[in-house]
Amino acid sequence: MNLQEIYHVIKKDLDWIEEELQNAIETGQPVLNESSAHLLKAGGKRMRPVFVLLSGRFGHYEREELKRVAVALELIHMATLVHDDVIDDADTRRGQATIKKEWDNKVAMYTGDFILARALMELSGLKDKTVHPILAKAMTLVCLGEMDQIEDLYSERLSLRRYLRRIKRKTALLISVSCQLGALVSQASPRHVQWLKAYGYYVGMAFQMKDDVLDFIGDEETLGKPAGNDLRQGNVTLPVIYALYQGDEDARESIRSYLRSQGEMVSLSQVLDQVRKSGGIEYTLDLSKRYMNKAMHCLKQLPASTERESLRLIAEFIVERSY
């Protein structure tokens, strides 16, 4: 089963969200208009809007309020991707040239800022003002997660605890907030809001871990970026951390040499092979499944419904996906 089949429950509203995303980034400035639409046209899983809409079904489904939250969260996500590509000096995203590559760093930075501003405009129309401090805190932590990643570039002493904190801030928080706010603006019961928030957190952690694995075992055509791209950019993920602590001595020394020299002394392909042989892939997948099991436990606390089943299927897709 693919995501489109899982999304069928909310397809009509999700199509509407897609139109609203396009409307939100339209502007009279030609270059900014084109650059803003560039990433949107490349597509994406639209997971954050999906989580908002599905979580909203556990309360009083207010379409307009949910639209504002869904569009704002997807725009925030898009803005972080644009900025990430500048920081990472990335040329491709979702199989297409990045804004940074297509234009330049200046256009990319202002595009990211513009998309973020549009997200804030969407939020300004919400009736429920409790949303604003929740999202402001999440955005602050996302920025801290980005700084953590910069500080950890090519680090050979990255701990599991620090890695988990980083992916919580960079990935899991926005997914958790998507579930939380979808339920909150729909006036779901406080208990259901908390279970959905927790579900989103666990799913977000599992999602990022699976992403980290795919960077080692996926192919460029499917992923839209070359294998080993994270490590090439100095981003040390859990499979590498495991190999650094649990791999044999030759593997540990090769990986350390790669990190210390920032890829000058040891080939990337050699390091990728050693990480794959170390058991780091299997360890990361196992931990991802443990987080997913926690997500499933949260779902069991919610009333049985088509929406709960969709959330379950999305969780299963995340741990089984190849892209």
Side-chain angles (χ1 to χ4, degrees), residues 13 32 41 46 73 98 113 126 163 176 188 211 231 236 250 272 278 280 282 295-296 301 315 320:
D13 281 355
L32 195 56
K41 291 176 181 176
R46 302 291 186 256
L73 283 165
T98 60
D113 292 346
L126 281 171
Y163 164 83
S176 177
D211 247 19
L231 193 54
V236 180
D250 287 343
L272 294 180
S278 71
E282 292 78 10
M296 296 299 192
Q301 315 310 312
E320 295 171 1

Side-chain angles (χ1 to χ4, degrees), residues 195-212:
W195 282 119
L196 285 161
K197 175 185 176 182
Y199 161 84
Y201 163 70
Y202 292 128
V203 164
M205 295 294 282
F207 179 87
Q208 186 57 59
M209 289 177 195
K210 185 57 184 279
D211 247 19
D212 293 344

Side-chain angles (χ1 to χ4, degrees), residues 11 70 72 155 166 175 184 244 265 310:
K11 185 181 186 306
S155 172
R166 189 180 77 201
I175 293 177
L184 189 64
L244 279 168
M265 300 297 293
S310 293

Side-chain angles (χ1 to χ4, degrees), residues 254-299:
S254 292
I255 297 170
R256 291 191 193 107
S257 295
Y258 178 90
L259 295 173
R260 289 169 187 166
S261 67
Q262 298 189 9
E264 295 295 328
M265 300 297 293
V266 181
S267 71
L268 177 63
S269 60
Q270 180 181 341
V271 173
L272 294 180
D273 285 342
Q274 288 169 331
V275 171
R276 291 170 186 139
K277 294 174 183 176
S278 71
I281 302 296
E282 292 78 10
Y283 175 82
T284 305
L285 287 174
D286 179 67
L287 188 55
S288 173
K289 288 177 182 177
R290 286 161 61 186
Y291 272 95
M292 195 54 62
N293 288 338
K294 292 182 179 181
M296 296 299 192
H297 171 75
C298 294
L299 285 183

Side-chain angles (χ1 to χ4, degrees), residues 88-271:
D88 297 338
D89 195 26
D91 289 340
T92 59
R93 165 77 65 178
R94 296 171 180 165
Q96 296 191 16
T98 60
I99 296 174
K100 177 227 69 124
K101 176 67 174 177
E102 193 75 11
W103 285 272
D104 56 33
N105 282 343
K106 291 179 181 179
V107 171
M109 291 305 294
Y110 282 121
T111 299
D113 292 346
F114 170 73
I115 293 173
L116 183 58
R118 287 297 199 188
L120 297 178
M121 288 181 67
E122 284 291 327
L123 289 170
S124 67
L126 281 171
K127 298 173 188 175
D128 190 343
K129 302 306 178 184
T130 61
V131 168
H132 299 159
I134 293 171
L135 195 50
K137 181 178 179 181
M139 290 170 65
T140 299
L141 291 173
V142 168
C143 292
L144 291 175
E146 296 287 357
M147 289 304 299
D148 286 344
Q149 181 163 304
I150 291 172
E151 291 179 2
D152 293 340
L153 289 176
Y154 295 105
S155 172
E156 60 182 276
R157 294 184 176 86
L158 189 60
S159 67
L160 173 61
R161 181 178 180 181
R162 185 170 174 87
Y163 164 83
L164 293 176
R165 186 183 73 172
R166 189 180 77 201
I167 68 170
K168 172 187 176 181
R169 289 173 168 179
K170 278 181 56 64
T171 303
L173 266 176
L174 278 186
I175 293 177
S176 177
V177 165
S178 297
C179 296
Q180 178 187 10
L181 296 186
L184 189 64
V185 301
S186 300
Q187 300 175 5
S189 73
R191 178 173 174 270
H192 290 165
V193 171
Q194 289 305 309
W195 282 119
L196 285 161
K197 175 185 176 182
Y199 161 84
Y201 163 70
Y202 292 128
V203 164
M205 295 294 282
F207 179 87
Q208 186 57 59
M209 289 177 195
K210 185 57 184 279
D211 247 19
D212 293 344
V213 166
L214 289 175
D215 190 58
F216 285 91
I217 65 175
D219 62 87
E220 184 172 356
E221 183 177 350
T222 303
L223 297 178
K225 59 182 180 179
N229 197 56
D230 284 339
L231 193 54
R232 182 182 290 105
Q233 295 169 348
N235 184 18
V236 180
T237 57
L238 187 53
V240 180
I241 295 170
Y242 182 90
L244 279 168
Y245 287 96
Q246 301 297 329
D248 61 41
E249 185 56 39
D250 287 343
R252 293 200 302 269
E253 188 53 41
S254 292
I255 297 170
R256 291 191 193 107
S257 295
Y258 178 90
L259 295 173
R260 289 169 187 166
S261 67
Q262 298 189 9
E264 295 295 328
M265 300 297 293
V266 181
S267 71
L268 177 63
S269 60
Q270 180 181 341
V271 173

